[in-house]
């Protein structure tokens, strides 16, 4: 008789504890999902801020060395022309007393171009990313924003205007496709190498 009473008591405890365990497991699952969602959103917002700052750093760095700037605000794009050096063999060898010949290298001052061009989405509704290119050939395959596993972004606006001679104002607005949060950055860059005769050109 004692064993039957104990068995009934264990079954009653189990019947009471099971729903509580189910509720506890469900609550933990809800908390886990919410923590995952919040973590994913925080990471997506971090990606948004990091990409926006990176783009501004790339453009401002290029602007400081620019000899000429060409702006196309209709396309949200900009082109910089700047001086750089290219070293290559001059093709001349100098004989020495030891009989060894040394190749002479020459340093050339050349003009390079750097484009920053946003790429439109397939449905042409927004800009997917910004591409950094040496040649504007329409082939936008070098994105410096977007396509991030932790949180994709899109470009709302990338605009440029001249404040004074040799001062370029840059305005960038981006949005996270995960959280729909937007960030807008503005800066002004002094371009000491920009020719005052050429300056800022617009298409």
């Amino acid at each position: 008789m004692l064993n039957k009473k104990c068995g009934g008591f264990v079954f009653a405890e189990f019947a009471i504890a099971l729903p509580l365990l189910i509720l506890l497991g469900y609550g933990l699952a809800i908390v886990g999902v919410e923590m995952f969602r919040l973590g994913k959103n925080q990471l997506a917002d971090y990606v948004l801020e990091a990409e926006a700052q990176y783009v501004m750093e790339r453009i401002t760095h290029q602007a400081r060395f620019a000899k000429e700037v060409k702006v196309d605000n209709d396309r949200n794009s900009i082109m910089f022309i700047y001086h750089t050096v290219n070293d290559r063999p001059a093709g001349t060898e100098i004989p020495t007393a030891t009989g060894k010949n040394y190749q002479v290298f020459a340093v050339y001052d050349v003009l390079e171009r750097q484009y920053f061009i946003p790429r439109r989405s397939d449905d042409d509704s927004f800009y997917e990313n910004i591409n950094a290119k040496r040649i504007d050939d329409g082939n936008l395959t070098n994105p410096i924003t977007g396509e991030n596993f932790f949180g994709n972004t899109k470009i709302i606006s990338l605009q440029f205007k001249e404040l004074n001679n040799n001062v370029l104002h840059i305005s960038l607005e981006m949005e996270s496709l995960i959280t729909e949060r937007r960030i807008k950055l503005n800066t002004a860059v002094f371009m000491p190498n920009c020719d005052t005769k050429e300056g800022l050109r617009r298409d």
Side-chain angles (χ1 to χ4, degrees):
M1 293 295 293
L2 183 62
N3 290 336
K4 289 182 179 180
K5 288 181 180 179
C6 289
F9 183 69
V10 170
F11 179 77
E13 283 184 330
F14 182 75
I16 294 172
L18 183 61
L20 295 176
L21 290 173
I22 292 174
L23 287 174
L24 180 61
Y26 179 74
L28 289 174
I30 293 296
V31 170
V33 169
E34 184 65 17
M35 289 179 64
F36 177 79
R37 186 186 69 82
L38 290 174
K40 182 179 179 182
N41 288 347
Q42 288 179 348
L43 193 56
D45 287 340
Y46 172 78
V47 169
L48 174 66
E49 293 176 7
E51 286 191 354
Q53 291 175 359
Y54 176 69
V55 170
M56 291 297 275
E57 288 175 3
R58 284 282 302 266
I59 295 176
T60 54
H61 175 77
Q62 207 71 54
R64 290 190 184 102
F65 296 97
K67 175 184 179 292
E68 186 179 336
V69 181
K70 188 176 180 182
V71 167
D72 186 353
N73 279 327
D74 292 336
R75 295 176 63 198
N76 287 260
S77 66
I78 192 168
M79 181 267 291
F80 297 104
I81 299 177
Y82 60 97
H83 286 280
T84 188
V85 293
N86 185 17
D87 58 335
R88 58 181 184 270
T92 304
E93 293 184 351
I94 300 176
T96 63
T98 60
K100 293 182 179 179
N101 294 332
Y102 292 92
Q103 188 78 31
V104 175
F105 286 83
V107 177
Y108 297 88
D109 182 14
V110 296
L111 292 176
E112 290 283 352
R113 297 186 178 194
Q114 177 69 65
Y115 295 86
F116 293 96
I117 309 170
R119 175 181 179 174
R120 283 200 170 273
S121 60
D122 293 335
D123 60 1
D124 204 36
S125 61
F126 64 93
Y127 291 106
E128 289 183 327
N129 50 46
I130 296 176
N131 288 258
K133 298 271 297 176
R134 298 291 182 187
I135 301 173
D136 186 10
D137 56 1
N139 188 18
L140 303 178
T141 57
N142 188 30
I144 58 175
T145 67
E147 302 178 14
N148 192 304
F149 175 78
F150 297 105
N152 205 352
T153 59
K154 68 178 181 180
I155 312 302
I156 303 300
S157 176
L158 179 60
Q159 295 289 298
F160 309 90
K161 68 178 180 179
E162 187 178 21
L163 295 179
N164 294 304
N165 287 336
N166 295 32
V167 177
L168 178 68
H169 179 264
I170 307 166
S171 178
L172 170 67
E173 187 174 4
M174 296 177 63
E175 179 180 322
S176 171
L177 294 179
I178 303 298
T179 64
E180 297 183 351
R181 179 180 171 232
R182 290 190 179 188
I183 184 172
K184 187 171 185 178
L185 301 178
N186 291 282
T187 189
V189 187
F190 176 63
M191 302 180 293
N193 301 317
C194 191
D195 292 340
T196 54
K197 292 182 180 179
E198 294 289 341
L200 182 67
R201 294 194 299 159
R202 293 179 176 83
D203 282 349

